[in-house]
Amino acid sequence: MRVLAIDTATTDLVTGVVDTETGAVTERILTDTRAHNEQLIPTVEELLQTTSLTYPDLDAIVVGCGPGPFTGLRVGMATASALGDALSIPVHGVCTHDAIAASAAAQGRTLVATDARRKEIYWATYEDGQRVEGPDVVKPAEIQVAVDAVIIPDNLVAKLPEELQNLPHTAANPRPAGLVAVANLDAAPEPLTPLYLRRPDAVPPKPKPRSAALPDVAGFNL
């Protein structure tokens, strides 16, 4: 089975083709890019050309559903859904942090965290690669977990509580093989559900106090 893997939940644009029968993986990863929308389809097409494949050669798609920012997730998930519909192939959504844990071959009790911006992180904990807590979003200094190791971007380590800073840590992002590894390709795909986790920015406006200078018009019909 040839599976196209896509993830746009982090600042990396992750694409790859995984052959589940041979184990062959061809990937194209653009690191630290903010142009997922402009670069995703051109990167996928370059990937297919490299593997001498065309879209009809694909058997399934796996896409990371976050946690991640709204814009990034929307790009990857909408593209995966559109390709799946056009090609009549299944599209499987997976938790991006699960894929990171799989890509890093996490062992023992591990914290996986990514940048949520706005001075927060997305996080989940794993026991030998299996998620046991999360995902959730929190300020780095407020996270309280008992783990043996941390997978987190280097620039966020110093923002963690001291006891977590002192643990072994590595930086890792999702990879195509990890995305496919955590997908159940034998099951019917469930509807894609983005893991935004972010508290809503928009709130209903508070009613403005009525000016005492306005006349009382109760019962007046316009």
Side-chain angles (χ1 to χ4, degrees):
M1 178 182 290
R2 298 186 181 101
V3 183
L4 173 65
I6 296 173
D7 191 282
T8 56
T10 70
T11 57
D12 286 1
L13 172 59
V14 178
T15 65
V17 172
V18 178
D19 189 321
T20 60
E21 295 180 5
T22 67
V25 180
T26 304
E27 59 185 35
R28 286 288 180 274
I29 298 176
L30 305 183
T31 59
D32 198 21
T33 178
R34 305 284 180 174
H36 296 87
N37 190 39
E38 297 87 349
Q39 295 177 318
L40 178 52
I41 286 296
T43 304
V44 169
E45 292 184 346
E46 178 187 349
L47 174 70
L48 293 176
Q49 290 175 3
T50 300
T51 54
S52 299
L53 298 175
T54 62
Y55 285 112
D57 293 319
L58 299 173
D59 300 302
I61 300 173
V62 172
V63 61
C65 294
F70 175 80
T71 302
L73 288 185
R74 182 174 58 181
V75 169
M77 296 176 67
T79 300
S81 181
L83 289 174
D85 285 343
L87 300 170
S88 297
I89 58 177
V91 180
H92 300 267
V94 299
C95 174
T96 297
H97 283 51
D98 293 356
I100 293 174
S103 299
Q107 295 297 314
R109 188 85 172 192
T110 307
L111 168 69
V112 174
T114 56
D115 191 352
R117 306 175 191 173
R118 305 182 198 173
K119 300 180 180 180
E120 293 181 321
I121 58 171
Y122 299 117
W123 67 274
T125 59
Y126 294 80
E127 185 74 46
D128 294 334
Q130 298 298 314
R131 177 157 37 102
V132 293
E133 293 179 277
D136 204 347
V137 60
V138 71
K139 293 184 181 301
E142 297 175 357
I143 190 167
Q144 296 181 355
V145 293
V147 294
D148 305 311
V150 179
I151 300 173
I152 190 171
D154 291 334
N155 65 307
L156 296 178
V157 174
K159 299 178 181 181
L160 293 172
E162 185 176 355
E163 62 270 20
L164 294 179
Q165 292 182 38
N166 294 331
L167 294 175
H169 66 271
T170 57
N173 273 334
R175 304 292 291 266
L179 289 160
V180 174
V182 298
N184 186 356
L185 299 176
D186 295 326
E190 298 181 0
L192 298 181
T193 303
L195 297 170
Y196 293 133
L197 305 186
R198 177 73 71 194
R199 294 179 293 275
D201 293 325
V203 295
K206 295 181 179 179
K208 295 182 179 180
R210 176 182 169 82
S211 172
L214 294 175
D216 187 358
V217 292
F220 182 77
N221 294 320
L222 296 177

